[in-house]
Amino acid sequence: MEAPSAFREPRAFFSALLAIVAGGGLRFWMLRKFFEVNGDSQLYGAMAKNLLLHWRYAVSDGTGMLHSTLIRLPGYPLSLALCFRLFGMENYFAAACLQILLEMLGCLLLAEVAWRVSPTSFRAPAAHATLWLAALCPFTAIYAAEPLTEAPTLFAIALALWALARYQDKAGWGSALAFTFAVTYAALLRPDGALVGVVLILPMVFAPFPRFHRIREMRERWSMVSIERLRPHLRKVLVCLLLALTPFTLWTVRNWSVFHVLEPLAPRYATDPGENTWPGWQSWVKTWCLDFISTYQVYWDMPGGPLDVKQLPSRAIDSPAQYAETTRLLADYEANGEEMSPELDARFTQLANERIAAHPLRSHLWLPLGRMADMWVRPRVDNLPIDLDWWEYKHHHVETRFSWFYVGLNAFYLLLGLAGLLLRPRLWPWMLLYTVLRSALLCTIEAPEARYTLECFPMLLVLGGVALGRLFSAKAALSPAARA
């Protein structure tokens, strides 16, 4: 039987409506205060305009010439193109408003997920807690107010979780197609978005099978699943798999026909074929980059921007001889017009190899783990007008206090998620697996950004809602009214 909605009763409906109003108000306030269009937003917008005006997936150079590109997947440019067609060319504000509506819908979906995966005894409190946690989460809300891929990605993950939980309860075509759309859209928005489909496809495929609690029961209970029962499910899986692969097949064929390269997603360093990724520079950065300050002040400015050895943290230099070599290398880079060259990149490679050989454990373990930890626990103030040295209290009292508040709030969400994980609601192994795999993926990048962990927040919000639901249920059971 189809499970009822978590917010069907009048009191529950009023609570949900209040949460949606509060969450929408928070996002529209952020839209008014922090809305801006630059960097990646302009890049996506330019692709969308070229799709509409010239029917080409391309970028423009300084002279206005169009150049076909594959540096970004087509999901977000296509979404912006549709928005521009409906609301006017370069109307990024309308795109942000639509993202706010999508994210609020995602909050409702996450609440429904919490309702479905929680034990019957506290599923309603878990759904309400999840909705409030998701609606009032400032870390996700700020990205709904910016024309970037984060907000639609969060919605796609929420939709995938909702469709999976619903399919496990009743394996219908609607849930299967919603799941297919969600994981496909997530992967079309960002290359790392494919991870949600890779992880969640397993519980989707095995949805009709009994849940095994002991290994010795497996053979006996497996026989409960008949071939006749499996045929409709396998048919859905096959159709959905073909639908999910179709856009990536078309994208791969397009990239092969235009660039003669096999690229089903997007390049790691967002470069078109023939553009140099400067692997020596990347390797050298990886031997010392640990936090977002280095990403902002150094990584994003290279090549093409100034770089002074004084900008480097102390961990970038291991000895006086290395300091001298790094200084000469940066001076030669400046003399080259602040542009990289194969010769300079080879010297960065040599310097990186020396540092890795001298400290292999630091390079291969401690720094990757440190970058991952920085993305999880630092204050998520990257999109706010707050200085990067937020911990310098004597420089800015208010900003420092606000940043520490954000640290505490972020820790609160993480601890709630951990508490919910310990309760082991349905789907908990897959939520954990996704979080672990994404964190492992983040260990491989050179320059950390806190926004890269946002894709785990749908899981954290559901798990946190489950933990609060259990807590509220226990308190209600201990109340005098309940005992009476």
Side-chain angles (χ1 to χ4, degrees):
M1 179 180 293
E2 179 69 19
S5 170
F7 307 113
R8 195 162 288 176
E9 297 180 358
R11 185 177 178 181
F13 176 80
F14 177 77
S15 174
L17 181 62
L18 187 61
I20 292 298
V21 170
L26 172 65
R27 285 159 179 78
F28 279 108
W29 176 81
M30 288 183 165
L31 178 63
R32 184 175 67 87
K33 294 287 291 185
F34 307 119
F35 175 74
E36 60 180 0
V37 179
N38 54 31
D40 282 350
S41 299
Q42 294 175 325
L43 176 62
Y44 288 122
M47 292 178 178
K49 287 174 58 180
N50 290 330
L51 280 170
L52 293 174
L53 298 177
H54 308 288
W55 291 92
R56 284 185 63 185
Y57 194 75
V59 293
S60 306
D61 59 20
T63 66
M65 291 290 295
L66 295 185
H67 302 276
S68 296
T69 185
L70 51 72
I71 61 174
R72 293 290 192 274
L73 283 158
Y76 198 62
L78 286 171
S79 300
L80 279 182
L82 177 61
C83 185
F84 291 170
R85 173 69 71 185
L86 294 175
F87 301 104
M89 193 66 72
E90 296 188 315
N91 193 340
Y92 294 95
F93 185 83
C97 290
L98 289 177
Q99 287 182 176
I100 290 175
L101 297 178
L102 270 184
E103 192 176 350
M104 297 316 301
L105 176 58
C107 293
L108 285 171
L109 293 176
L110 291 177
E112 189 76 9
V113 172
W115 191 87
R116 290 178 179 274
V117 304
S118 299
T120 306
S121 58
F122 59 88
R123 54 175 29 175
H128 285 275
T130 299
L131 180 58
W132 279 98
L133 283 175
L136 298 182
C137 179
F139 311 131
T140 57
I142 187 66
Y143 281 98
E146 297 200 8
L148 294 169
T149 59
E150 275 72 20
T153 298
L154 293 174
F155 167 75
I157 295 174
L159 179 60
L161 289 172
W162 174 81
L164 172 59
R166 193 168 181 263
Y167 189 84
Q168 288 184 333
D169 292 335
K170 183 179 179 181
W173 273 105
S175 300
L177 293 176
F179 178 83
T180 304
F181 169 79
V183 297
T184 304
Y185 188 47
L188 285 172
L189 288 168
R190 303 172 58 89
D192 52 12
L195 183 61
V196 69
V198 171
V199 172
L200 297 186
I201 190 63
L202 294 176
M204 190 74 174
V205 169
F206 291 102
F209 292 90
R211 297 183 181 87
F212 305 119
H213 300 287
R214 297 180 180 87
I215 297 298
R216 64 173 177 268
E217 297 177 356
M218 184 174 294
R219 180 178 300 177
E220 177 184 351
R221 299 191 66 189
W222 190 276
S223 62
M224 296 168 57
V225 184
S226 66
I227 297 298
E228 291 300 321
R229 181 184 170 189
L230 281 179
R231 281 177 181 170
H233 169 67
L234 294 177
R235 191 179 302 117
K236 294 186 186 76
V237 170
L238 180 59
V239 170
C240 292
L241 182 62
L242 291 176
L243 289 175
L245 292 178
T246 297
F248 299 100
T249 301
L250 296 175
W251 175 247
T252 304
V253 170
R254 177 264 181 186
N255 291 336
W256 179 262
S257 63
V258 175
F259 297 102
H260 304 292
V261 296
L262 188 64
E263 181 55 75
L265 291 172
R268 172 184 172 91
Y269 295 110
T271 53
D272 282 322
E275 294 182 358
N276 203 319
T277 61
W278 308 119
W281 156 255
Q282 304 284 354
S283 298
W284 176 69
V285 169
K286 227 173 182 180
T287 65
W288 57 265
C289 188
L290 184 62
D291 53 23
F292 181 69
I293 292 181
S294 297
T295 300
Y296 185 85
Q297 293 182 341
V298 179
Y299 188 77
W300 285 353
D301 282 346
M302 289 279 284
L307 180 58
D308 193 318
V309 71
K310 296 178 181 178
Q311 292 178 275
L312 302 178
S314 58
R315 60 182 174 274
I317 308 293
D318 290 334
S319 65
Q322 199 172 100
Y323 178 86
E325 173 58 26
T326 304
T327 303
R328 286 193 298 270
L329 183 51
L330 298 184
D332 292 342
Y333 162 78
E334 183 177 0
N336 196 48
E338 295 176 350
E339 292 294 339
M340 197 67 72
S341 68
E343 186 272 334
L344 289 173
D345 193 60
R347 290 170 60 187
F348 273 118
T349 299
Q350 182 179 358
L351 186 56
N353 291 339
E354 292 174 2
R355 290 174 54 78
I356 293 171
H359 300 280
L361 198 60
R362 178 187 67 183
S363 300
H364 296 303
L365 181 62
W366 300 126
L367 280 172
L369 289 177
R371 285 189 286 267
M372 186 260 289
D374 180 75
M375 288 181 272
W376 271 110
V377 303
R378 72 174 290 111
R380 299 175 182 275
V381 296
D382 303 345
N383 290 16
L384 302 177
I386 291 179
D387 288 344
L388 292 178
D389 59 341
W390 50 267
W391 59 86
E392 294 286 351
Y393 186 75
K394 62 182 179 179
H395 292 167
H396 27 59
H397 303 342
V398 176
E399 291 182 11
T400 299
R401 289 195 295 266
F402 182 84
S403 297
W404 279 114
F405 164 73
Y406 254 35
V407 169
L409 185 62
N410 184 67
F412 172 73
Y413 275 93
L414 296 182
L415 291 175
L416 274 182
L418 178 59
L421 189 65
L422 295 176
L423 294 174
R424 300 199 300 179
R426 180 156 58 102
L427 293 181
W428 74 267
W430 310 106
M431 297 183 192
L432 176 61
L433 179 61
Y434 176 81
T435 304
V436 170
L437 290 181
R438 182 160 185 85
S439 298
L441 181 65
L442 294 180
C443 286
T444 67
I445 68 173
E446 294 80 8
E449 296 182 55
R451 66 189 178 100
Y452 292 154
T453 53
L454 281 180
E455 282 78 3
C456 297
F457 265 69
M459 286 74 173
L460 283 177
L461 293 169
V462 171
L463 293 171
V466 170
L468 287 179
R470 174 65 179 273
L471 177 63
F472 295 154
S473 178
K475 284 188 175 181
L478 294 174
S479 67
R483 289 198 298 268

